[in-house]
Amino acid sequence: MSTELWYTERYEEHGAALSLRVREVLHREQSAYQTIEIFETEHFGTLMTLDGLVMVTDRDNFLYHEMMTHPALLAHPAPVRVLVIGGGDCGTLREVLRHPQVARVDQVELDERVTRVAERFFPELCERNSDPRARLHFQDGIAWVQEISPESYDAIIVDSTDPVGPAAGLFSREFYSACWRALGPQGILVAQSESPLLHAPLICQCQDRMATAGFETVDTLYFPQFSYPSGWWSATLGRKGISRDSFRPAAAHALEGLRYYHAGIQQAAMVPPAFLLRG
Ligand code: SAM
């Protein structure tokens, strides 16, 4: 009889699954919002799941966190005020704080327990949480954006869970309109938009909703992400008052310690596959 322990996330509607061999279950709790579990895997380091879905592994989170952050901040001429919605593992926050121009980051995560558990099990992702520019808030990001004064931010990063439960509203046109209002005359919105292979209609919906919310140009970024469904992921980026080719290559070259993003990726990541070419 096998005594091996495997974590498996099933993608029932696609008849597929991801499995990681696990050494040990390190933590399990039910927060007010979701079940938070931490595993020590054999080859992917520490793994965090929420309600049984992979959020972060030590080994591949750099792909997602770098791509959620750097293309957006480097497309903005002067990203000083940044809002991160969700992002409780703090990996995106760490990437944002690599940018010397950023003077303040509000991170608005619904579930404080995700951040507290990440502080314990993913200390490297949380290493910049005490940076004086970072402010952690624990509440619903939709309400935050609706209530904030107009033109409060230069960039908004939506690092959310899948579009179900409390995250569903983070994919709505009303939410993107509220983000447009919360951005200054020059602003960038970037939102995780799921798998190109499995969720192409959702990506098109994000693009259309951002455009109708007022963003003049919208592009999707494509990048690999082993531990998310299909191993291929996306983020959709809307620009307000910023030209499509706006990019600060010198600032990109000055970023240190990155493992996926570099200046050459800025345009390359925005080239869609043929089945997502539109217009
Ligand atoms: N990148 C990951 C993925 O795609 O699987 C998501 C990582 S991050 C841990 C997602 C976070 O979004 C979760 O911690 C969740 O609590 C938070 N979240 C979901 N809905 C939210 C909302 N309405 N406002 C703020 N945070 C929210």
Side-chain angles (χ1 to χ4, degrees), residues 89-206:
D89 54 68
C90 301
T92 296
L93 179 66
R94 178 177 75 162
E95 296 305 314
V96 171
L97 290 165
R98 288 187 198 275
H99 290 254
Q101 304 83 354
V102 170
R104 196 189 79 218
V105 194
D106 288 318
Q107 175 161 285
V108 183
E109 159 62 53
L110 186 63
D111 189 349
E112 179 169 0
R113 288 304 305 156
V114 174
T115 298
R116 299 304 167 219
V117 169
E119 284 168 343
R120 181 171 158 207
F121 292 101
F122 292 91
E124 69 294 350
L125 296 185
C126 297
E127 68 192 9
R128 295 184 186 228
N129 287 11
S130 51
D131 186 310
R133 299 174 291 163
R135 294 176 202 174
L136 303 185
H137 311 267
F138 297 103
Q139 67 164 81
D140 181 9
I142 300 169
W144 180 278
V145 172
Q146 280 163 351
E147 288 159 19
I148 200 84
S149 307
E151 304 193 359
S152 291
Y153 296 106
D154 304 306
I156 300 178
I157 301 174
V158 186
D159 180 0
S160 73
T161 38
D162 298 340
V164 289
L170 295 171
F171 292 77
S172 69
R173 196 192 65 79
E174 292 70 27
F175 173 70
Y176 296 146
S177 295
C179 289
W180 192 91
R181 203 185 111 272
L183 287 167
Q186 292 189 304
I188 290 270
L189 168 67
V190 64
Q192 80 89 357
S193 48
E194 309 279 300
S195 161
L197 190 65
L198 305 181
H199 313 114
L202 181 127
I203 292 175
C204 295
Q205 192 181 67
C206 278

Side-chain angles (χ1 to χ4, degrees), residues 200-201 203-209 222 272-279:
I203 292 175
C204 295
Q205 192 181 67
C206 278
Q207 293 171 344
D208 294 344
R209 288 178 176 175
Y222 303 93
F275 69 85
L276 276 164
L277 275 174
R278 306 181 79 199

